[in-house]
């Protein structure tokens, strides 16, 4: 598990395109974004472990607290920063549909995450969840016509390799002790 996690983390580092890889100057916006994303990942990891711990509680209770707290926190933050504004509610305004779509997709993905954590441990679930980067590449290209950089593709492929290693490890772990694959690939199970 450590090896697949390390490979996935290396993929994440490559995707962030640090200056020591690209040879470019340090961009403070990029550094700030990478640090905030690491903070987000840290907080989300804690949330995943907590959801796994609460697996006996009905999913609607977890979602109620998730949505309620998120609504209150967001309202306070938008008031604090003075950015509370509502889009014009016209049928032709695409922003309204996008905001509703974000809400629906967030709800559905949170439900799937809760159900997944009721079925399996937090480690494998969070490894598979890191594929959201690949989906972000695809949606970014479809909706905004932005092609990912070479570093993004390389990092994404490294991440997929790490996730595949975790899946292969689980496959090897399920084999009987006497199976030849388990004997020859013992180092993956360490």
């Amino acid at each position: 598990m450590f090896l697949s996690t390390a490979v996935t983390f290396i993929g994440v580092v490559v995707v962030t395109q640090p200056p020591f890889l690209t040879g470019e100057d340090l961009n403070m916006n990029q550094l700030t974004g990478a640090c905030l994303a690491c903070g987000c990942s840290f907080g989300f990891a804690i949330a995943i472990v907590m959801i796994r711990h609460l697996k006996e509680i009905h999913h609607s209770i977890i979602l109620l607290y998730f949505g309620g707290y998120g609504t209150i926190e967001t309202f306070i933050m938008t008031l604090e920063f003075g950015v509370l504004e509502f889009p014009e509610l016209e049928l032709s305004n695409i922003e309204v549909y996008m905001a509703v779509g974000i809400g629906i997709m967030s709800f559905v993905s949170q439900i799937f995450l809760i159900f997944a954590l009721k079925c399996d441990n937090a480690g494998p679930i969070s490894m598979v969840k890191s594929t959201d980067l690949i989906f972000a590449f695809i949606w970014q290209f479809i909706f905004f016509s932005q092609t990912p950089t070479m570093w993004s593709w390389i990092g994404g492929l490294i991440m997929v390799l790490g996730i595949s290693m975790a899946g292969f490890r689980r496959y090897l772990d399920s084999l009987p002790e006497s199976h030849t694959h388990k004997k020859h690939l013992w180092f993956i199970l360490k």
Side-chain angles (χ1 to χ4, degrees):
M1 188 68 155
F2 174 75
L3 183 61
S4 61
T5 303
V7 169
T8 304
F9 183 74
I10 289 169
V12 170
V13 169
V14 171
V15 166
T16 60
Q17 302 172 25
F20 67 85
L21 281 179
T22 61
E24 298 174 2
D25 292 333
L26 180 64
N27 181 342
M28 285 309 290
N29 285 338
Q30 187 178 11
L31 179 64
T32 303
C35 289
L36 289 171
C38 285
C40 174
S41 295
F42 180 75
F44 197 76
I46 292 171
I48 285 178
V49 171
M50 290 169 63
I51 291 171
R52 175 72 178 150
H53 181 72
L54 300 172
K55 69 180 179 180
E56 301 301 321
I57 295 176
H58 196 268
H59 67 276
S60 60
I61 302 296
I62 296 171
L63 279 174
L64 177 69
Y65 280 99
F66 174 75
Y69 178 77
T71 301
I72 293 168
E73 180 185 13
T74 303
F75 184 71
I76 291 170
M77 295 298 285
T78 55
L79 287 178
E80 180 67 29
F81 289 114
V83 293
L84 180 62
E85 59 183 60
F86 296 96
E88 295 178 21
L89 296 177
E90 298 176 8
L91 290 179
S92 62
N93 191 352
I94 191 72
E95 290 177 351
V96 173
Y97 296 113
M98 290 177 84
V100 170
I102 289 170
I104 291 170
M105 294 311 296
S106 296
F107 174 79
V108 169
S109 64
Q110 191 68 23
I111 284 279
F112 286 165
L113 177 65
I114 290 169
F115 285 148
L117 288 168
K118 286 180 184 273
C119 298
D120 202 354
N121 293 326
I125 300 293
S126 51
M127 289 290 288
V128 172
K129 188 179 174 330
S130 63
T131 59
D132 58 1
L133 178 77
I134 307 300
F135 291 115
F137 288 163
I138 294 167
W139 300 134
Q140 174 180 284
F141 180 74
I142 290 171
F143 292 120
F144 304 118
S145 300
Q146 291 180 343
T147 307
T149 64
M150 177 192 68
W151 290 108
S152 298
W153 283 115
I154 292 170
L157 289 173
I158 293 171
M159 287 177 61
V160 168
L161 174 66
I163 293 163
S164 300
M165 288 171 60
F168 187 66
R169 182 187 187 283
R170 293 199 68 170
Y171 161 73
L172 286 177
D173 207 25
S174 69
L175 294 174
E177 291 296 326
S178 60
H179 199 279
T180 57
H181 290 315
K182 202 166 192 174
K183 289 179 181 176
H184 293 300
L185 300 172
W186 59 268
F187 57 91
I188 294 177
L189 295 171
K190 294 292 177 186

